[in-house]
Amino acid sequence: MGSRPDYWEQVDLQRQLAGGEAINTPMLVAVRARPLSRDEDESGEWGIVRVLESRVVVVMDPNDYDPHLQPNRTKEKKYAFDYAFDEHTSQAEIFRGTTRGLIAGVLDGFN
């Protein structure tokens, strides 16, 4: 996930600085690009989603549109998230980046 500071380490530090009290934290937004299914792969489909630097998702237009009929359509769209995981990311990495820090808060009564 890169050298970016860990979200949950930052939340833990903020909670410590607040004396263990509940603190307001921003919502974490994460997305995961799924791998192609076996059927998609075997039929020659290709992925149109790319993850850049664990934060940006680029969705590329498939090649099946006519630029003369849709001249204002762009070739790609970019979306930014707190975390973006590619199709090669393990469940453990996704857990560490998104859910691990929730466990202690839930057990401490924070919601």
Side-chain angles (χ1 to χ4, degrees):
M1 288 187 301
S3 60
R4 209 160 21 115
D6 181 89
Y7 175 83
W8 296 112
E9 289 174 1
Q10 292 177 12
V11 170
D12 288 341
L13 178 60
Q14 290 172 354
R15 191 173 292 139
Q16 288 173 7
L17 293 173
E21 297 296 317
I23 57 171
N24 289 328
T25 57
M27 181 183 296
L28 171 73
V29 180
V31 65
R32 179 185 193 185
R34 70 166 178 83
L36 294 177
S37 70
R38 181 177 302 136
D39 290 341
E40 291 168 329
D41 195 35
E42 289 173 357
S43 68
E45 300 291 332
W46 63 92
I48 61 169
V49 174
R50 302 289 178 265
V51 176
L52 305 176
E53 299 179 12
S54 299
R55 292 191 76 120
V56 176
V57 173
V58 179
V59 180
M60 296 175 298
D61 253 342
N63 295 328
D64 64 350
Y65 78 97
D66 185 342
H68 301 308
L69 296 176
Q70 300 163 318
N72 297 325
R73 189 168 169 179
T74 62
K75 289 280 191 186
E76 64 183 35
K77 301 285 186 195
K78 294 180 182 176
Y79 303 94
F81 298 90
D82 294 311
Y83 284 101
F85 301 98
D86 67 18
E87 65 273 14
H88 305 292
T89 306
S90 71
Q91 289 294 104
E93 290 174 281
I94 293 170
F95 174 80
R96 280 192 300 272
T98 61
T99 309
R100 175 183 55 91
L102 293 174
I103 305 299
V106 168
L107 294 176
D108 290 339
F110 298 118
N111 56 0

Short mmCIF file of all heavy atoms in Angstrom, two decimals, residues 75-102:
data_model
loop_
_atom_site.label_atom_id
_atom_site.label_comp_id
_atom_site.label_asym_id
_atom_site.label_seq_id
_atom_site.Cartn_x
_atom_site.Cartn_y
_atom_site.Cartn_z
N LYS A 75 -11.81 9.10 -22.99
CA LYS A 75 -11.23 7.76 -23.00
C LYS A 75 -11.08 7.15 -21.62
O LYS A 75 -11.03 5.95 -21.48
CB LYS A 75 -9.84 7.80 -23.67
CG LYS A 75 -9.88 8.03 -25.13
CD LYS A 75 -10.21 6.75 -25.81
CE LYS A 75 -9.99 6.87 -27.30
NZ LYS A 75 -10.43 5.71 -28.01
N GLU A 76 -11.00 7.97 -20.58
CA GLU A 76 -10.84 7.42 -19.24
C GLU A 76 -11.43 8.37 -18.21
O GLU A 76 -11.56 9.56 -18.43
CB GLU A 76 -9.37 7.16 -18.92
CG GLU A 76 -8.52 8.41 -18.89
CD GLU A 76 -7.05 8.12 -18.65
OE1 GLU A 76 -6.55 7.09 -19.12
OE2 GLU A 76 -6.41 8.93 -17.98
N LYS A 77 -11.77 7.79 -17.07
CA LYS A 77 -12.26 8.55 -15.92
C LYS A 77 -11.37 8.20 -14.74
O LYS A 77 -10.97 7.06 -14.57
CB LYS A 77 -13.70 8.18 -15.59
CG LYS A 77 -14.69 8.40 -16.70
CD LYS A 77 -15.00 9.85 -16.85
CE LYS A 77 -16.12 10.00 -17.88
NZ LYS A 77 -16.28 11.32 -18.37
N LYS A 78 -11.07 9.21 -13.90
CA LYS A 78 -10.23 8.98 -12.73
C LYS A 78 -11.03 9.31 -11.48
O LYS A 78 -11.75 10.31 -11.43
CB LYS A 78 -8.98 9.87 -12.79
CG LYS A 78 -8.05 9.51 -13.90
CD LYS A 78 -6.83 10.41 -13.92
CE LYS A 78 -5.95 10.05 -15.11
NZ LYS A 78 -4.81 10.93 -15.22
N TYR A 79 -10.87 8.46 -10.46
CA TYR A 79 -11.56 8.63 -9.19
C TYR A 79 -10.54 8.44 -8.07
O TYR A 79 -9.73 7.52 -8.11
CB TYR A 79 -12.67 7.60 -9.04
CG TYR A 79 -13.68 7.65 -10.17
CD1 TYR A 79 -13.54 6.82 -11.28
CD2 TYR A 79 -14.74 8.53 -10.13
CE1 TYR A 79 -14.45 6.86 -12.33
CE2 TYR A 79 -15.67 8.58 -11.18
CZ TYR A 79 -15.51 7.75 -12.27
OH TYR A 79 -16.40 7.80 -13.30
N ALA A 80 -10.61 9.31 -7.04
CA ALA A 80 -9.68 9.22 -5.92
C ALA A 80 -10.39 8.67 -4.68
O ALA A 80 -11.56 8.99 -4.44
CB ALA A 80 -9.09 10.59 -5.62
N PHE A 81 -9.68 7.85 -3.93
CA PHE A 81 -10.19 7.23 -2.71
C PHE A 81 -9.11 7.31 -1.64
O PHE A 81 -7.95 7.56 -1.92
CB PHE A 81 -10.54 5.75 -2.97
CG PHE A 81 -11.61 5.57 -3.99
CD1 PHE A 81 -11.29 5.42 -5.33
CD2 PHE A 81 -12.95 5.54 -3.62
CE1 PHE A 81 -12.28 5.25 -6.29
CE2 PHE A 81 -13.94 5.37 -4.56
CZ PHE A 81 -13.61 5.23 -5.90
N ASP A 82 -9.49 7.05 -0.39
CA ASP A 82 -8.48 6.95 0.67
C ASP A 82 -7.57 5.77 0.40
O ASP A 82 -6.36 5.84 0.61
CB ASP A 82 -9.15 6.80 2.03
CG ASP A 82 -9.93 8.04 2.44
OD1 ASP A 82 -9.36 9.14 2.33
OD2 ASP A 82 -11.10 7.91 2.83
N TYR A 83 -8.16 4.66 -0.03
CA TYR A 83 -7.40 3.47 -0.41
C TYR A 83 -8.03 2.89 -1.66
O TYR A 83 -9.25 2.81 -1.77
CB TYR A 83 -7.44 2.39 0.69
CG TYR A 83 -6.56 2.66 1.87
CD1 TYR A 83 -7.08 3.14 3.05
CD2 TYR A 83 -5.19 2.40 1.80
CE1 TYR A 83 -6.27 3.39 4.14
CE2 TYR A 83 -4.39 2.64 2.89
CZ TYR A 83 -4.93 3.14 4.05
OH TYR A 83 -4.12 3.38 5.12
N ALA A 84 -7.19 2.47 -2.57
CA ALA A 84 -7.64 1.75 -3.76
C ALA A 84 -6.76 0.51 -3.86
O ALA A 84 -5.53 0.60 -3.86
CB ALA A 84 -7.50 2.61 -5.01
N PHE A 85 -7.40 -0.63 -3.92
CA PHE A 85 -6.69 -1.90 -3.97
C PHE A 85 -6.86 -2.50 -5.37
O PHE A 85 -7.97 -2.52 -5.91
CB PHE A 85 -7.25 -2.86 -2.93
CG PHE A 85 -7.15 -2.34 -1.52
CD1 PHE A 85 -8.23 -1.74 -0.90
CD2 PHE A 85 -5.97 -2.46 -0.81
CE1 PHE A 85 -8.15 -1.26 0.39
CE2 PHE A 85 -5.87 -1.98 0.49
CZ PHE A 85 -6.96 -1.38 1.09
N ASP A 86 -5.77 -3.02 -5.92
CA ASP A 86 -5.87 -3.64 -7.24
C ASP A 86 -6.30 -5.10 -7.12
O ASP A 86 -6.52 -5.61 -6.02
CB ASP A 86 -4.58 -3.49 -8.04
CG ASP A 86 -3.41 -4.25 -7.47
OD1 ASP A 86 -3.62 -5.18 -6.66
OD2 ASP A 86 -2.27 -3.94 -7.85
N GLU A 87 -6.41 -5.77 -8.25
CA GLU A 87 -6.92 -7.14 -8.27
C GLU A 87 -5.94 -8.15 -7.67
O GLU A 87 -6.30 -9.30 -7.43
CB GLU A 87 -7.29 -7.56 -9.69
CG GLU A 87 -6.14 -7.63 -10.66
CD GLU A 87 -5.82 -6.31 -11.34
OE1 GLU A 87 -6.29 -5.25 -10.90
OE2 GLU A 87 -5.05 -6.33 -12.32
N HIS A 88 -4.72 -7.73 -7.39
CA HIS A 88 -3.72 -8.63 -6.82
C HIS A 88 -3.59 -8.49 -5.30
O HIS A 88 -2.81 -9.20 -4.68
CB HIS A 88 -2.35 -8.38 -7.47
CG HIS A 88 -2.38 -8.50 -8.96
ND1 HIS A 88 -2.60 -9.68 -9.62
CD2 HIS A 88 -2.26 -7.56 -9.92
CE1 HIS A 88 -2.60 -9.48 -10.92
NE2 HIS A 88 -2.40 -8.18 -11.13
N THR A 89 -4.35 -7.60 -4.70
CA THR A 89 -4.25 -7.35 -3.27
C THR A 89 -4.92 -8.48 -2.49
O THR A 89 -6.02 -8.91 -2.82
CB THR A 89 -4.93 -6.01 -2.91
OG1 THR A 89 -4.37 -4.98 -3.71
CG2 THR A 89 -4.73 -5.68 -1.44
N SER A 90 -4.25 -8.95 -1.45
CA SER A 90 -4.80 -10.05 -0.65
C SER A 90 -5.87 -9.54 0.32
O SER A 90 -5.93 -8.35 0.64
CB SER A 90 -3.68 -10.72 0.16
OG SER A 90 -3.25 -9.85 1.20
N GLN A 91 -6.70 -10.45 0.78
CA GLN A 91 -7.72 -10.12 1.77
C GLN A 91 -7.08 -9.57 3.04
O GLN A 91 -7.61 -8.67 3.67
CB GLN A 91 -8.56 -11.35 2.11
CG GLN A 91 -9.49 -11.78 1.00
CD GLN A 91 -10.57 -10.76 0.72
OE1 GLN A 91 -10.49 -10.05 -0.27
NE2 GLN A 91 -11.56 -10.67 1.58
N ALA A 92 -5.92 -10.12 3.42
CA ALA A 92 -5.23 -9.66 4.63
C ALA A 92 -4.80 -8.20 4.50
O ALA A 92 -4.94 -7.42 5.45
CB ALA A 92 -4.02 -10.55 4.92
N GLU A 93 -4.30 -7.81 3.33
CA GLU A 93 -3.90 -6.42 3.12
C GLU A 93 -5.10 -5.49 3.17
O GLU A 93 -5.03 -4.39 3.72
CB GLU A 93 -3.19 -6.27 1.77
CG GLU A 93 -1.82 -6.91 1.72
CD GLU A 93 -1.24 -6.84 0.32
OE1 GLU A 93 -1.64 -7.65 -0.54
OE2 GLU A 93 -0.40 -5.94 0.09
N ILE A 94 -6.20 -5.92 2.60
CA ILE A 94 -7.41 -5.10 2.63
C ILE A 94 -7.91 -4.96 4.06
O ILE A 94 -8.28 -3.86 4.50
CB ILE A 94 -8.49 -5.69 1.70
CG1 ILE A 94 -8.02 -5.58 0.25
CG2 ILE A 94 -9.83 -5.00 1.91
CD1 ILE A 94 -8.86 -6.34 -0.74
N PHE A 95 -7.88 -6.04 4.82
CA PHE A 95 -8.28 -5.99 6.23
C PHE A 95 -7.41 -5.01 7.00
O PHE A 95 -7.93 -4.16 7.74
CB PHE A 95 -8.19 -7.38 6.85
CG PHE A 95 -8.44 -7.39 8.33
CD1 PHE A 95 -9.74 -7.35 8.82
CD2 PHE A 95 -7.38 -7.43 9.22
CE1 PHE A 95 -9.98 -7.35 10.20
CE2 PHE A 95 -7.61 -7.42 10.59
CZ PHE A 95 -8.90 -7.38 11.07
N ARG A 96 -6.10 -5.10 6.83
CA ARG A 96 -5.19 -4.20 7.55
C ARG A 96 -5.45 -2.74 7.19
O ARG A 96 -5.40 -1.87 8.04
CB ARG A 96 -3.73 -4.55 7.27
CG ARG A 96 -3.22 -5.73 8.07
CD ARG A 96 -1.71 -5.88 7.98
NE ARG A 96 -1.23 -6.08 6.62
CZ ARG A 96 -1.11 -7.26 6.03
NH1 ARG A 96 -1.46 -8.35 6.67
NH2 ARG A 96 -0.67 -7.36 4.79
N GLY A 97 -5.73 -2.47 5.92
CA GLY A 97 -5.93 -1.10 5.49
C GLY A 97 -7.28 -0.51 5.80
O GLY A 97 -7.43 0.71 5.88
N THR A 98 -8.29 -1.36 5.99
CA THR A 98 -9.64 -0.81 6.12
C THR A 98 -10.36 -1.18 7.42
O THR A 98 -11.12 -0.39 7.94
CB THR A 98 -10.54 -1.29 4.96
OG1 THR A 98 -10.62 -2.72 4.99
CG2 THR A 98 -10.00 -0.83 3.62
N THR A 99 -10.14 -2.35 7.94
CA THR A 99 -10.99 -2.86 9.01
C THR A 99 -10.27 -3.05 10.34
O THR A 99 -10.89 -2.94 11.40
CB THR A 99 -11.61 -4.21 8.57
OG1 THR A 99 -12.20 -4.02 7.29
CG2 THR A 99 -12.67 -4.68 9.53
N ARG A 100 -8.99 -3.32 10.30
CA ARG A 100 -8.24 -3.64 11.52
C ARG A 100 -8.50 -2.64 12.64
O ARG A 100 -8.77 -3.02 13.78
CB ARG A 100 -6.75 -3.70 11.22
CG ARG A 100 -5.88 -3.90 12.45
CD ARG A 100 -4.40 -3.88 12.11
NE ARG A 100 -3.98 -2.69 11.41
CZ ARG A 100 -3.53 -1.58 12.02
NH1 ARG A 100 -3.46 -1.53 13.32
NH2 ARG A 100 -3.17 -0.54 11.31
N GLY A 101 -8.46 -1.37 12.33
CA GLY A 101 -8.63 -0.35 13.35
C GLY A 101 -10.03 -0.24 13.92
O GLY A 101 -10.22 0.34 14.98
N LEU A 102 -11.00 -0.79 13.23
CA LEU A 102 -12.38 -0.73 13.73
C LEU A 102 -12.59 -1.67 14.91
O LEU A 102 -13.42 -1.40 15.78
CB LEU A 102 -13.37 -1.11 12.62
CG LEU A 102 -13.48 -0.15 11.46
CD1 LEU A 102 -14.40 -0.74 10.40
CD2 LEU A 102 -13.99 1.20 11.92
#
